[in-house]
Amino acid sequence: MRVIIAALVLFVTIVNPVHARGPYGRISVAGWSGGAYTDDKTGQFSNCIASANYKSGINFGVLVTKTYSWVLAFTHQSWTLSQGQKFPIVLSFDGRNTFNVDAVAMSGTMVFVPMPDNSALIKSFRAARTMSAFAQGHLFQFDLSGTSVLIPALVTCVKTINAGGIASATDFTAAVTANATPKLVAPNTSPTNASSLEPARPQEGSAELQLEAMQLASNFILKANSLSHPALVSRSETPVALASTGAAWKADNATGFVRIIPPQPNVAGLDVAAAIVGNDAKNCKGKFASARNSELIDSEVVFRGMSSCEDSEKSAIAEYFILPRKAGGFIMFSVITPTKTIGQQIQGQQRDELNAGFRKAAYTSVNQ
């Protein structure tokens, strides 16, 4: 809690720079701006911060401490609060997920809302496009359309400064987003086959990529505890689209694959997620839904794509987890599960728990 309070004290520097030094580097996306800050007394790195001003007169900030604690901060000059005072706020994301939170006043005009990692609150914030806050009889509306880039930029900021010191500060936004249209070729795909992203050109070193994918797929099915009797698919049964850069697996309750995506110019993780979801949409002849976002697992950004298709041939949900590859490019994990088991509908909470396990298995498979 002391770390979080210190982080919020630094938020004041957005309005009054006297309290800390910064910003170092740059975060700038969709009206958000900020960077890295140091403690004015010690000179040590403390946080990465980005904020946005709204016409309603409120300033909204997102902070990540050097130990990856997340905080929302709200400042309004018309508020008259006592330090430490509880400040009830009702937060709603995309008009659906609603949270009654007790913010804490840091000063007469500023309150903070800690967001514990892996909490429902932070998951809703990361995935939402809009947020509303009802406080003291007033409704404030916030556009969150830039958070898909903002969140990875803040994490990149903390990781960069923790590793290289304040001298390594750079344009953190540019480090996580492409400046040009991604050059991806999108073949026909669906949640029932393993072809979800085709390289823009023939790939070299396919034997090495095959071996890497097989090792990762083996790690994944060993770590995904919810899979029933999982096993790798033989090379002769592997779909042609995966033959050079991937490995497939199957279990009683799911199928999936691991795909190595070698480096391509101006392609970011969110681009890959958008491409695979777009591909699935083309092949679904019935009800289709999709989403893409970025999530934080143990301080590592995981880009996620999701698509669901329900038609006369199938009823399944495909989850894609895209992680940065140390040698460049990305590693994509796919898990395809039916929306129903035999005689039983898979409930939302149960599916969320399954997906959390799959995300963790993908992350640990890459970073073990």
Side-chain angles (χ1 to χ4, degrees), residues 1 4 8 62-65 67-72 91 93 99-102 112-126 296-299:
M1 182 63 69
I4 294 175
L8 267 296
V62 183
L63 300 88
V64 186
T65 73
T67 56
Y68 298 98
S69 295
W70 290 77
V71 179
L72 299 181
L91 297 176
F93 299 93
F99 300 87
N100 294 291
V101 300
D102 281 327
F112 74 87
V113 179
M115 293 195 298
D117 196 20
N118 294 324
S119 66
L121 174 60
I122 196 169
K123 290 178 181 178
S124 296
F125 172 74
R126 289 169 178 162
L296 192 69
I297 300 179
D298 292 346
S299 76

Side-chain angles (χ1 to χ4, degrees), residues 105-307:
M106 291 297 299
S107 68
T109 59
M110 182 180 67
V111 300
F112 74 87
V113 179
M115 293 195 298
D117 196 20
N118 294 324
S119 66
L121 174 60
I122 196 169
K123 290 178 181 178
S124 296
F125 172 74
R126 289 169 178 162
R129 292 181 177 274
T130 63
M131 182 183 78
S132 64
F134 185 77
Q136 291 194 333
H138 298 281
L139 181 65
F140 301 96
Q141 301 283 351
F142 304 94
D143 179 7
L144 303 182
S145 58
T147 54
S148 61
V149 175
L150 172 68
I151 290 171
L154 285 166
V155 174
T156 298
C157 175
V158 173
K159 292 180 68 175
T160 300
I161 305 303
N162 276 340
I166 205 68
S168 64
T170 183
D171 188 331
F172 304 109
T173 308
V176 297
T177 186
N179 295 321
T181 302
K183 304 182 187 322
L184 298 177
V185 177
N188 292 328
T189 65
S190 75
T192 59
N193 65 43
S195 174
S196 292
L197 188 68
E198 198 68 28
R201 58 187 182 278
Q203 301 298 328
E204 299 178 356
S206 60
E208 289 80 3
L209 295 180
Q210 288 176 23
L211 179 59
E212 181 180 351
M214 290 181 66
Q215 290 174 335
L216 289 167
S218 297
N219 291 341
F220 177 82
I221 62 177
L222 288 173
K223 297 177 184 299
N225 297 326
S226 59
L227 294 177
S228 175
H229 303 107
L232 290 179
V233 173
S234 67
R235 299 306 298 173
S236 61
E237 297 177 303
T238 300
V240 175
L242 282 176
S244 64
T245 58
W249 56 265
K250 61 182 179 181
D252 295 341
N253 56 342
T255 59
F257 63 89
V258 175
R259 179 74 174 269
I260 307 299
I261 304 173
Q264 298 181 39
N266 299 321
V267 174
L270 284 174
D271 300 327
V272 177
I276 58 177
V277 167
N279 293 341
D280 288 349
K282 295 178 182 178
N283 205 56
C284 182
K285 307 304 180 183
K287 294 174 61 177
F288 182 80
S290 66
R292 64 186 179 94
N293 59 24
S294 57
E295 300 175 315
L296 192 69
I297 300 179
D298 292 346
S299 76
E300 184 74 38
V301 175
V302 177
F303 300 96
R304 179 189 173 210
M306 182 282 293
S307 69

Side-chain angles (χ1 to χ4, degrees), residues 31-67:
W32 300 88
S33 62
Y37 282 80
T38 59
D39 188 304
D40 189 39
K41 295 181 179 178
T42 66
Q44 298 296 311
F45 167 61
S46 296
N47 308 272
C48 290
I49 307 167
S51 70
N53 290 306
Y54 289 80
K55 293 181 180 179
S56 60
I58 200 168
N59 184 285
F60 175 37
V62 183
L63 300 88
V64 186
T65 73
K66 64 181 180 181
T67 56

